[in-house]
Amino acid sequence: MDKHVIMEKIPEFAIIGHPNEGKSSVVSTLAEDDTVKISPMPGETVVCQILPVLIDGQEIIRFTDTPGFQNPRETLAWMKNYSGPDELLLKTFIDTHCNNPDFKDECELLTPVARGAGIIFVVDGSRPVRQTDRIEMEILRMTGRPRMSIVNCKGNEPVHLNQWQNEFRKHFNSIRQFNAHKATWSERIDLLESLKGVDQDWQPAIAMVIEKFKEDWKHRNRLAAAMTTEMLEHILTFTMTENIGESETFNDAKIRLQKQFIKKIEAMERLTHEKIRKLFKHNIFDCTLPSNSLLHEDLFSEKTWQFLGLSPGEVAIAAGMVGGATGVVIDVIAAGITFGVFSAIGGILGAGSALLSGRRIADITFKGVKLGKDQVKMGPVCNLQLMYILLDRMMIFHGSIINWAHSRREIDESVADDITANLKKGFSSGWNDKTKKVCSRFFQSVCTKSRFKYKKQQIREEMEQVLFSVLEKQV
Ligand SMILES: Nc1nc2c(ncn2[C@@H]2O[C@H](COP(=O)(O)OP(=O)(O)OP(=O)(O)O)[C@@H](O)[C@H]2O)c(=O)[nH]1
Ligand SMILES: [Mg+2]
Protein backbone atom coordinates (compact mmCIF):
# COMPACT_ATOMS: atom_id res chain seq x y z
CA MET A 1 0.00 0.00 0.00
CA ASP A 2 1.26 3.46 -0.83
CA LYS A 3 1.47 5.38 2.42
CA HIS A 4 1.59 8.82 0.82
CA VAL A 5 -1.34 8.36 -1.51
CA ILE A 6 -3.48 7.13 1.37
CA MET A 7 -2.55 9.82 3.83
CA GLU A 8 -2.99 12.58 1.27
CA LYS A 9 -6.66 12.48 2.17
CA ILE A 10 -6.88 12.50 5.92
CA PRO A 11 -9.90 10.55 7.15
CA GLU A 12 -12.44 12.83 8.81
CA PHE A 13 -15.36 11.83 11.00
CA ALA A 14 -18.08 14.22 12.10
CA ILE A 15 -19.64 13.39 15.46
CA ILE A 16 -23.33 14.12 15.09
CA GLY A 17 -26.45 13.74 17.22
CA HIS A 18 -29.19 15.28 19.28
CA PRO A 19 -28.13 18.07 21.70
CA ASN A 20 -26.55 16.95 24.97
CA GLU A 21 -26.12 13.26 24.10
CA GLY A 22 -22.36 13.22 24.65
CA LYS A 23 -20.97 14.16 21.20
CA SER A 24 -18.27 16.45 22.56
CA SER A 25 -17.41 13.82 25.17
CA VAL A 26 -16.91 11.20 22.46
CA VAL A 27 -14.73 13.58 20.42
CA SER A 28 -12.68 14.57 23.45
CA THR A 29 -11.96 10.93 24.30
CA LEU A 30 -11.25 9.83 20.75
CA ALA A 31 -8.94 12.74 19.98
CA GLU A 32 -7.39 12.67 23.49
CA ASP A 33 -8.08 16.36 23.83
CA ASP A 34 -9.14 17.65 27.24
CA THR A 35 -9.79 21.19 25.95
CA VAL A 36 -13.10 20.22 24.32
CA LYS A 37 -16.02 21.98 26.03
CA ILE A 38 -18.43 19.59 27.71
CA SER A 39 -21.47 20.73 29.64
CA PRO A 40 -24.67 19.39 31.23
CA MET A 41 -26.56 22.22 29.46
CA PRO A 42 -27.83 21.32 25.97
CA GLY A 43 -26.55 23.57 23.20
CA GLU A 44 -22.98 23.91 24.48
CA THR A 45 -21.44 23.30 21.07
CA VAL A 46 -22.65 25.88 18.55
CA VAL A 47 -19.98 25.71 15.86
CA CYS A 48 -17.99 22.83 14.45
CA GLN A 49 -14.61 22.21 15.96
CA ILE A 50 -12.08 20.13 14.07
CA LEU A 51 -9.83 18.07 16.34
CA PRO A 52 -6.88 16.74 14.43
CA VAL A 53 -4.95 13.80 15.87
CA LEU A 54 -1.25 14.47 15.43
CA ILE A 55 1.45 11.87 15.73
CA ASP A 56 5.03 13.09 15.34
CA GLY A 57 3.58 16.43 14.26
CA GLN A 58 1.68 14.82 11.39
CA GLU A 59 -2.09 14.80 11.20
CA ILE A 60 -3.37 11.25 10.71
CA ILE A 61 -7.11 11.52 11.35
CA ARG A 62 -9.51 14.26 12.38
CA PHE A 63 -12.69 14.21 14.40
CA THR A 64 -15.12 17.09 14.03
CA ASP A 65 -17.40 18.05 16.89
CA THR A 66 -20.73 19.48 15.76
CA PRO A 67 -23.78 21.19 17.34
CA GLY A 68 -26.88 19.07 17.98
CA PHE A 69 -29.85 18.99 15.56
CA GLN A 70 -32.13 22.00 15.92
CA ASN A 71 -34.86 21.48 13.38
CA PRO A 72 -34.73 17.88 12.19
CA ARG A 73 -38.37 17.52 11.17
CA GLU A 74 -38.31 20.36 8.66
CA THR A 75 -34.85 19.46 7.48
CA LEU A 76 -36.04 15.96 6.60
CA ALA A 77 -39.16 17.35 4.91
CA TRP A 78 -36.97 19.61 2.74
CA MET A 79 -34.65 16.72 1.85
CA LYS A 80 -37.57 14.50 0.88
CA ASN A 81 -38.86 17.20 -1.45
CA TYR A 82 -35.45 17.76 -3.02
CA SER A 83 -35.32 16.56 -6.61
CA GLY A 84 -31.81 17.55 -7.74
CA PRO A 85 -28.77 15.26 -8.12
CA ASP A 86 -28.03 13.18 -5.00
CA GLU A 87 -24.43 14.37 -4.77
CA LEU A 88 -25.63 17.99 -4.47
CA LEU A 89 -28.25 17.36 -1.76
CA LEU A 90 -26.19 18.66 1.15
CA LYS A 91 -24.59 21.52 -0.72
CA THR A 92 -27.98 22.71 -1.95
CA PHE A 93 -29.48 22.39 1.53
CA ILE A 94 -26.69 24.47 3.06
CA ASP A 95 -26.75 27.08 0.23
CA THR A 96 -30.51 27.41 0.61
CA HIS A 97 -30.59 27.71 4.41
CA CYS A 98 -27.29 29.29 5.37
CA ASN A 99 -28.90 32.62 6.25
CA ASN A 100 -31.93 31.15 7.97
CA PRO A 101 -31.52 31.08 11.78
CA ASP A 102 -34.06 28.22 12.02
CA PHE A 103 -31.54 25.90 10.30
CA LYS A 104 -28.33 27.34 11.67
CA ASP A 105 -27.30 24.17 13.51
CA GLU A 106 -28.25 21.84 10.65
CA CYS A 107 -26.16 23.91 8.19
CA GLU A 108 -23.25 23.81 10.61
CA LEU A 109 -23.42 20.10 11.42
CA LEU A 110 -23.91 19.04 7.80
CA THR A 111 -20.98 21.12 6.51
CA PRO A 112 -18.27 18.53 7.36
CA VAL A 113 -20.48 15.79 5.90
CA ALA A 114 -20.87 17.83 2.70
CA ARG A 115 -17.07 18.01 2.37
CA GLY A 116 -16.77 14.23 2.66
CA ALA A 117 -16.55 13.39 6.35
CA GLY A 118 -17.87 10.07 7.60
CA ILE A 119 -20.54 10.17 10.30
CA ILE A 120 -20.43 8.95 13.88
CA PHE A 121 -23.93 9.29 15.30
CA VAL A 122 -24.05 9.47 19.09
CA VAL A 123 -27.03 8.63 21.27
CA ASP A 124 -27.49 8.21 24.98
CA GLY A 125 -28.42 4.56 25.51
CA SER A 126 -29.87 5.19 28.95
CA ARG A 127 -32.99 6.80 27.45
CA PRO A 128 -35.54 5.28 25.05
CA VAL A 129 -35.67 5.97 21.29
CA ARG A 130 -37.96 8.88 20.34
CA GLN A 131 -39.54 9.89 17.06
CA THR A 132 -37.10 12.76 16.63
CA ASP A 133 -34.18 10.28 16.77
CA ARG A 134 -35.71 8.33 13.89
CA ILE A 135 -35.96 11.56 11.93
CA GLU A 136 -32.31 12.43 12.59
CA MET A 137 -31.23 8.93 11.57
CA GLU A 138 -33.22 9.23 8.37
CA ILE A 139 -31.52 12.56 7.55
CA LEU A 140 -28.14 10.92 8.00
CA ARG A 141 -29.17 7.95 5.85
CA MET A 142 -30.20 10.36 3.10
CA THR A 143 -26.74 11.97 3.07
CA GLY A 144 -25.47 8.67 1.69
CA ARG A 145 -22.21 9.06 3.62
CA PRO A 146 -20.57 6.14 5.44
CA ARG A 147 -21.82 6.14 9.01
CA MET A 148 -21.61 4.33 12.26
CA SER A 149 -23.66 4.75 15.41
CA ILE A 150 -22.44 4.85 18.95
CA VAL A 151 -24.48 4.12 22.03
CA ASN A 152 -22.89 6.33 24.64
CA CYS A 153 -24.24 6.02 28.14
CA LYS A 154 -24.78 9.01 30.39
CA GLY A 155 -26.60 6.90 32.96
CA ASN A 156 -25.12 3.85 34.60
CA GLU A 157 -26.58 1.25 32.24
CA PRO A 158 -27.57 1.36 28.55
CA VAL A 159 -31.02 0.06 29.54
CA HIS A 160 -32.47 0.76 26.11
CA LEU A 161 -29.63 -0.80 24.18
CA ASN A 162 -31.73 -3.40 22.36
CA GLN A 163 -34.23 -0.84 21.21
CA TRP A 164 -31.46 1.41 19.90
CA GLN A 165 -29.74 -1.47 18.15
CA ASN A 166 -32.95 -2.44 16.37
CA GLU A 167 -33.38 1.12 15.12
CA PHE A 168 -29.74 1.49 14.15
CA ARG A 169 -29.75 -1.64 11.97
CA LYS A 170 -32.02 0.20 9.52
CA HIS A 171 -29.75 3.20 9.13
CA PHE A 172 -26.11 2.44 9.89
CA ASN A 173 -23.24 0.38 8.53
CA SER A 174 -21.80 -0.28 11.95
CA ILE A 175 -22.99 -0.10 15.58
CA ARG A 176 -20.91 0.14 18.73
CA GLN A 177 -21.28 0.68 22.41
CA PHE A 178 -18.79 3.25 23.61
CA ASN A 179 -18.81 4.92 26.95
CA ALA A 180 -17.12 8.27 26.40
CA HIS A 181 -16.24 8.90 30.04
CA LYS A 182 -14.99 5.40 30.81
CA ALA A 183 -13.46 4.25 27.53
CA THR A 184 -10.00 2.76 27.87
CA TRP A 185 -7.21 2.79 25.34
CA SER A 186 -8.17 -0.63 23.95
CA GLU A 187 -11.82 0.40 23.65
CA ARG A 188 -10.70 3.38 21.58
CA ILE A 189 -8.72 1.08 19.32
CA ASP A 190 -11.75 -1.25 19.04
CA LEU A 191 -13.85 1.71 17.95
CA LEU A 192 -11.33 2.62 15.26
CA GLU A 193 -11.30 -1.02 14.16
CA SER A 194 -15.03 -0.88 13.58
CA LEU A 195 -14.66 2.36 11.61
CA LYS A 196 -12.77 0.25 9.08
CA GLY A 197 -16.01 -1.58 8.37
CA VAL A 198 -17.92 1.63 7.67
CA ASP A 199 -16.49 2.17 4.21
CA GLN A 200 -14.21 -0.08 2.19
CA ASP A 201 -12.41 2.88 0.63
CA TRP A 202 -11.23 3.98 4.06
CA GLN A 203 -10.03 0.59 5.24
CA PRO A 204 -6.34 1.04 4.36
CA ALA A 205 -6.21 4.58 5.78
CA ILE A 206 -7.90 3.59 9.06
CA ALA A 207 -5.68 0.50 9.33
CA MET A 208 -2.68 2.81 9.09
CA VAL A 209 -4.16 5.16 11.69
CA ILE A 210 -4.58 2.21 14.08
CA GLU A 211 -1.00 1.13 13.44
CA LYS A 212 0.24 4.64 14.21
CA PHE A 213 -1.89 4.85 17.35
CA LYS A 214 -0.34 1.61 18.59
CA GLU A 215 3.21 2.72 17.76
CA ASP A 216 2.59 6.02 19.52
CA TRP A 217 1.29 4.23 22.62
CA LYS A 218 4.43 2.10 22.73
CA HIS A 219 6.52 5.23 22.36
CA ARG A 220 4.76 6.85 25.34
CA ASN A 221 5.35 3.78 27.48
CA ARG A 222 8.99 3.72 26.43
CA LEU A 223 9.36 7.35 27.50
CA ALA A 224 7.50 6.69 30.77
CA ALA A 225 9.94 3.83 31.48
CA ALA A 226 12.91 6.10 30.77
CA MET A 227 11.48 8.87 32.98
CA THR A 228 10.97 6.39 35.81
CA THR A 229 14.47 5.00 35.51
CA GLU A 230 15.87 8.51 35.61
CA MET A 231 13.75 9.37 38.65
CA LEU A 232 15.05 6.30 40.50
CA GLU A 233 18.63 7.24 39.70
CA HIS A 234 18.08 10.77 40.94
CA ILE A 235 16.27 9.80 44.13
CA LEU A 236 18.49 6.89 45.14
CA THR A 237 21.66 8.94 44.70
CA PHE A 238 20.33 12.26 45.93
CA THR A 239 22.33 14.07 48.61
CA MET A 240 21.97 17.46 50.29
CA THR A 241 24.40 19.52 52.31
CA GLU A 242 23.46 22.38 54.63
CA ASN A 243 25.37 24.74 56.84
CA ILE A 244 24.74 24.38 60.54
CA GLY A 245 23.36 27.68 61.80
CA GLU A 246 25.31 29.66 64.33
CA SER A 247 22.84 29.06 67.13
CA GLU A 248 21.97 25.56 65.95
CA THR A 249 23.13 22.20 67.25
CA PHE A 250 24.14 19.44 64.86
CA ASN A 251 20.96 17.52 65.73
CA ASP A 252 18.71 20.51 65.05
CA ALA A 253 20.41 21.08 61.71
CA LYS A 254 20.03 17.39 60.89
CA ILE A 255 16.30 17.42 61.60
CA ARG A 256 15.88 20.57 59.53
CA LEU A 257 17.76 18.99 56.64
CA GLN A 258 15.85 15.70 56.92
CA LYS A 259 12.60 17.55 56.38
CA GLN A 260 13.94 19.40 53.34
CA PHE A 261 15.45 16.21 52.03
CA ILE A 262 12.14 14.34 52.17
CA LYS A 263 10.38 17.27 50.48
CA LYS A 264 12.91 17.24 47.65
CA ILE A 265 12.51 13.52 47.07
CA GLU A 266 8.73 13.84 47.09
CA ALA A 267 9.01 16.70 44.60
CA MET A 268 11.15 14.59 42.28
CA GLU A 269 8.52 11.88 42.33
CA ARG A 270 5.72 14.38 41.69
CA LEU A 271 7.61 15.89 38.78
CA THR A 272 7.99 12.48 37.16
CA HIS A 273 4.29 11.73 37.58
CA GLU A 274 3.50 15.12 36.10
CA LYS A 275 5.67 14.35 33.07
CA ILE A 276 3.91 11.01 32.62
CA ARG A 277 0.53 12.76 32.84
CA LYS A 278 1.52 15.14 30.02
CA LEU A 279 2.87 12.25 27.97
CA PHE A 280 -0.64 10.81 27.92
CA LYS A 281 -2.01 14.20 26.87
CA HIS A 282 -3.72 15.16 30.09
CA ASN A 283 -2.84 18.81 30.05
CA ILE A 284 -5.69 20.75 31.60
CA PHE A 285 -7.74 18.69 33.99
CA ASP A 286 -6.04 17.08 36.87
CA CYS A 287 -7.07 13.44 36.83
CA THR A 288 -8.26 13.23 40.40
CA LEU A 289 -7.27 9.89 41.78
CA PRO A 290 -9.84 7.68 43.50
CA SER A 291 -10.43 8.79 47.08
CA ASN A 292 -9.02 5.50 48.34
CA SER A 293 -5.93 5.68 46.15
CA LEU A 294 -2.65 5.08 47.88
CA LEU A 295 -1.18 8.01 46.00
CA HIS A 296 -3.06 10.33 48.34
CA GLU A 297 -0.65 9.12 50.99
CA ASP A 298 2.77 10.72 51.29
CA LEU A 299 5.66 8.78 49.85
CA PHE A 300 7.10 8.18 53.30
CA SER A 301 3.84 7.62 55.15
CA GLU A 302 3.34 4.50 57.21
CA LYS A 303 0.39 3.40 55.09
CA THR A 304 2.38 3.67 51.87
CA TRP A 305 5.15 1.47 53.20
CA GLN A 306 2.75 -1.01 54.79
CA PHE A 307 0.86 -1.53 51.56
CA LEU A 308 3.59 -1.21 49.01
CA GLY A 309 6.67 -2.38 50.87
CA LEU A 310 8.02 -5.80 50.03
CA SER A 311 6.97 -8.69 52.23
CA PRO A 312 9.75 -10.30 54.33
CA GLY A 313 9.93 -13.20 51.83
CA GLU A 314 10.29 -10.81 48.94
CA VAL A 315 12.96 -8.88 50.78
CA ALA A 316 14.93 -12.07 51.24
CA ILE A 317 14.65 -12.91 47.55
CA ALA A 318 15.44 -9.36 46.41
CA ALA A 319 18.35 -9.23 48.82
CA GLY A 320 19.68 -12.51 47.43
CA MET A 321 19.52 -11.03 43.95
CA VAL A 322 21.43 -7.95 44.94
CA GLY A 323 24.24 -10.00 46.46
CA GLY A 324 26.93 -9.22 48.99
CA ALA A 325 28.14 -5.90 47.67
CA THR A 326 25.32 -3.96 49.27
CA GLY A 327 25.04 -6.00 52.42
CA VAL A 328 24.47 -2.95 54.56
CA VAL A 329 21.44 -1.98 52.59
CA ILE A 330 19.97 -5.44 52.95
CA ASP A 331 20.36 -5.28 56.70
CA VAL A 332 18.54 -2.05 56.64
CA ILE A 333 15.69 -3.51 54.68
CA ALA A 334 15.39 -6.40 57.08
CA ALA A 335 15.44 -4.00 60.01
CA GLY A 336 12.73 -2.00 58.31
CA ILE A 337 10.51 -5.00 58.03
CA THR A 338 11.02 -6.15 61.58
CA PHE A 339 10.78 -2.89 63.40
CA GLY A 340 8.59 -0.81 61.12
CA VAL A 341 10.05 1.69 58.76
CA PHE A 342 7.40 4.20 59.65
CA SER A 343 7.97 4.42 63.28
CA ALA A 344 11.61 4.49 62.26
CA ILE A 345 11.15 7.50 60.06
CA GLY A 346 8.86 9.17 62.52
CA GLY A 347 11.45 8.46 65.15
CA ILE A 348 14.23 10.03 63.17
CA LEU A 349 12.22 13.12 62.58
CA GLY A 350 11.36 13.25 66.22
CA ALA A 351 15.10 13.05 66.89
CA GLY A 352 16.58 9.95 68.40
CA SER A 353 13.74 7.57 69.15
CA ALA A 354 14.65 4.85 71.60
CA LEU A 355 12.98 2.38 69.29
CA LEU A 356 15.77 2.85 66.83
CA SER A 357 18.71 2.77 69.05
CA GLY A 358 21.31 0.55 67.53
CA ARG A 359 19.32 -0.01 64.33
CA ARG A 360 21.21 0.87 61.21
CA ILE A 361 18.06 1.98 59.47
CA ALA A 362 18.28 5.17 61.45
CA ASP A 363 21.67 5.90 60.03
CA ILE A 364 21.12 4.72 56.52
CA THR A 365 17.63 5.82 55.67
CA PHE A 366 18.25 9.46 56.41
CA LYS A 367 21.88 9.57 57.09
CA GLY A 368 23.02 12.86 58.51
CA VAL A 369 26.78 13.16 58.39
CA LYS A 370 28.79 15.98 59.85
CA LEU A 371 31.07 17.51 57.26
CA GLY A 372 33.86 19.47 58.84
CA LYS A 373 32.77 21.65 61.74
CA ASP A 374 29.72 23.39 60.38
CA GLN A 375 28.03 21.34 57.66
CA VAL A 376 25.61 18.46 57.68
CA LYS A 377 25.07 16.13 54.75
CA MET A 378 22.04 13.95 54.09
CA GLY A 379 21.69 10.95 51.77
CA PRO A 380 21.92 9.04 49.60
CA VAL A 381 18.91 6.89 50.52
CA CYS A 382 19.96 3.74 48.77
CA ASN A 383 17.12 1.62 50.02
CA LEU A 384 15.69 -1.23 47.97
CA GLN A 385 12.28 -0.87 49.61
CA LEU A 386 12.15 2.74 48.56
CA MET A 387 12.89 1.77 44.95
CA TYR A 388 10.03 -0.74 44.90
CA ILE A 389 7.68 1.72 46.56
CA LEU A 390 8.51 4.34 43.95
CA LEU A 391 7.97 1.76 41.22
CA ASP A 392 4.61 0.70 42.63
CA ARG A 393 3.47 4.27 42.99
CA MET A 394 4.47 4.95 39.40
CA MET A 395 2.48 1.88 38.29
CA ILE A 396 -0.57 3.12 40.22
CA PHE A 397 -0.25 6.54 38.64
CA HIS A 398 0.29 5.18 35.14
CA GLY A 399 -2.65 2.78 35.54
CA SER A 400 -4.93 5.67 36.45
CA ILE A 401 -3.69 7.97 33.74
CA ILE A 402 -3.96 5.56 30.84
CA ASN A 403 -7.53 4.74 31.82
CA TRP A 404 -8.62 8.30 32.39
CA ALA A 405 -10.76 9.18 29.35
CA HIS A 406 -10.04 12.74 28.21
CA SER A 407 -13.72 13.66 28.42
CA ARG A 408 -13.88 12.85 32.11
CA ARG A 409 -13.63 16.08 34.00
CA GLU A 410 -14.39 14.93 37.50
CA ILE A 411 -14.09 11.94 39.71
CA ASP A 412 -16.66 9.22 39.23
CA GLU A 413 -16.32 6.79 42.12
CA SER A 414 -17.81 3.92 40.13
CA VAL A 415 -14.90 4.30 37.70
CA ALA A 416 -12.53 4.82 40.60
CA ASP A 417 -13.47 1.42 42.01
CA ASP A 418 -12.67 -0.28 38.73
CA ILE A 419 -9.31 1.40 38.56
CA THR A 420 -8.42 0.53 42.11
CA ALA A 421 -9.32 -3.10 41.51
CA ASN A 422 -7.16 -3.17 38.40
CA LEU A 423 -4.23 -1.57 40.11
CA LYS A 424 -3.47 -4.64 42.16
CA LYS A 425 -2.20 -6.26 38.99
CA GLY A 426 0.36 -3.56 38.53
CA PHE A 427 2.12 -4.00 41.82
CA SER A 428 5.73 -5.02 41.47
CA SER A 429 5.31 -7.99 43.82
CA GLY A 430 3.57 -9.74 40.93
CA TRP A 431 6.46 -9.20 38.52
CA ASN A 432 8.33 -12.22 37.24
CA ASP A 433 11.81 -13.20 38.44
CA LYS A 434 13.54 -11.85 35.37
CA THR A 435 12.03 -8.41 35.92
CA LYS A 436 12.86 -8.43 39.62
CA LYS A 437 16.43 -9.52 38.85
CA VAL A 438 16.89 -6.60 36.49
CA CYS A 439 15.45 -4.23 39.12
CA SER A 440 17.87 -5.59 41.72
CA ARG A 441 20.83 -5.31 39.34
CA PHE A 442 19.83 -1.76 38.55
CA PHE A 443 19.55 -0.94 42.23
CA GLN A 444 22.99 -2.33 42.87
CA SER A 445 24.46 -0.46 39.93
CA VAL A 446 22.96 2.86 41.04
CA CYS A 447 23.93 2.42 44.65
CA THR A 448 27.52 1.35 44.20
CA LYS A 449 30.40 3.24 42.68
CA SER A 450 31.82 1.70 39.54
CA ARG A 451 34.45 2.73 37.08
CA PHE A 452 32.68 0.85 34.31
CA LYS A 453 30.37 3.50 32.90
CA TYR A 454 29.39 1.38 29.88
CA LYS A 455 28.22 -1.41 32.21
CA LYS A 456 26.08 1.02 34.19
CA GLN A 457 24.60 2.26 30.92
CA GLN A 458 23.82 -1.29 29.83
CA ILE A 459 22.08 -2.06 33.13
CA ARG A 460 20.13 1.18 32.86
CA GLU A 461 18.92 0.20 29.38
CA GLU A 462 17.88 -3.23 30.68
CA MET A 463 15.90 -1.49 33.42
CA GLU A 464 14.15 0.76 30.92
CA GLN A 465 13.31 -2.28 28.82
CA VAL A 466 11.75 -4.29 31.67
CA LEU A 467 9.81 -1.27 32.87
CA PHE A 468 8.56 -0.74 29.33
CA SER A 469 7.38 -4.37 29.27
CA VAL A 470 5.45 -4.03 32.53
CA LEU A 471 3.89 -0.73 31.42
CA GLU A 472 2.80 -2.33 28.16
CA LYS A 473 0.93 -4.97 30.16
CA GLN A 474 -1.00 -2.40 32.19
CA VAL A 475 -4.62 -2.19 31.03
N1 LIG B 1 -21.58 9.79 33.17
C1 LIG B 1 -21.44 10.12 31.89
N2 LIG B 1 -21.83 11.35 31.52
C2 LIG B 1 -21.67 11.69 30.22
C3 LIG B 1 -21.10 10.81 29.28
N3 LIG B 1 -21.07 11.42 28.08
C4 LIG B 1 -21.58 12.65 28.30
N4 LIG B 1 -21.93 12.82 29.57
C5 LIG B 1 -22.49 14.05 30.20
O1 LIG B 1 -23.54 14.52 29.38
C6 LIG B 1 -23.52 15.94 29.31
C7 LIG B 1 -23.45 16.38 27.84
O2 LIG B 1 -22.22 15.98 27.31
P1 LIG B 1 -21.57 16.68 26.04
O3 LIG B 1 -20.43 15.83 25.62
O4 LIG B 1 -21.32 18.11 26.30
O5 LIG B 1 -22.79 16.51 25.02
P2 LIG B 1 -23.00 17.13 23.56
O6 LIG B 1 -23.76 16.14 22.78
O7 LIG B 1 -21.70 17.57 22.99
O8 LIG B 1 -23.90 18.39 23.91
P3 LIG B 1 -24.19 19.70 23.01
O9 LIG B 1 -22.90 20.26 22.54
O10 LIG B 1 -24.87 20.60 23.97
O11 LIG B 1 -25.08 19.25 21.90
C8 LIG B 1 -22.33 16.40 30.12
O12 LIG B 1 -22.77 16.75 31.40
C9 LIG B 1 -21.47 15.17 30.20
O13 LIG B 1 -20.66 15.13 31.36
C10 LIG B 1 -20.68 9.50 29.72
O14 LIG B 1 -20.16 8.68 28.99
N5 LIG B 1 -20.89 9.23 31.05
MG1 LIG C 1 -21.08 19.44 22.39
Side-chain angles (χ1 to χ4, degrees), residues 1-15:
M1 93 177 71
D2 185 338
K3 221 170 172 167
H4 300 288
V5 171
I6 288 161
M7 293 316 275
E8 254 172 29
K9 185 146 179 32
I10 293 157
E12 178 181 8
F13 288 90
I15 320 298

Side-chain angles (χ1 to χ4, degrees), residues 18-25 27 36-39 41-47 65-68:
H18 204 70
N20 208 37
E21 296 286 278
K23 300 179 294 300
S24 300
S25 299
V27 177
V36 178
K37 282 206 175 118
I38 290 168
S39 155
M41 300 296 290
E44 176 64 32
T45 310
V46 289
V47 290
D65 192 14
T66 67

Side-chain angles (χ1 to χ4, degrees), residues 16-23 26 121-130 133 150-161 163-164 168 178-179:
I16 293 179
H18 204 70
N20 208 37
E21 296 286 278
K23 300 179 294 300
V26 168
F121 182 62
V122 177
V123 299
D124 172 14
S126 58
R127 66 161 180 87
V129 183
R130 296 179 297 228
D133 302 312
I150 285 184
V151 184
N152 183 39
C153 195
K154 283 164 60 179
N156 281 337
E157 292 293 327
V159 278
H160 299 283
L161 184 63
Q163 197 194 0
W164 279 108
F168 281 162
F178 182 80
N179 196 318

Side-chain angles (χ1 to χ4, degrees), residues 16-19 67-83 88-98 100-111 113 119 131-143:
I16 293 179
H18 204 70
F69 281 98
Q70 170 188 11
N71 202 345
R73 206 172 289 272
E74 287 181 50
T75 301
L76 183 62
W78 184 93
M79 285 182 166
K80 286 200 161 157
N81 275 332
Y82 170 79
S83 55
L88 291 180
L89 169 79
L90 290 178
K91 185 177 179 312
T92 314
F93 175 85
I94 294 166
D95 289 347
T96 310
H97 298 93
C98 61
N100 183 345
D102 290 345
F103 294 93
K104 187 176 163 291
D105 292 339
E106 274 74 15
C107 289
E108 187 71 18
L109 75 92
L110 290 172
T111 296
V113 185
I119 296 167
Q131 187 52 21
T132 181
D133 302 312
R134 296 192 182 93
I135 293 171
E136 289 165 9
M137 289 190 246
E138 183 58 13
I139 292 172
L140 297 180
R141 196 187 61 76
M142 287 188 75
T143 67

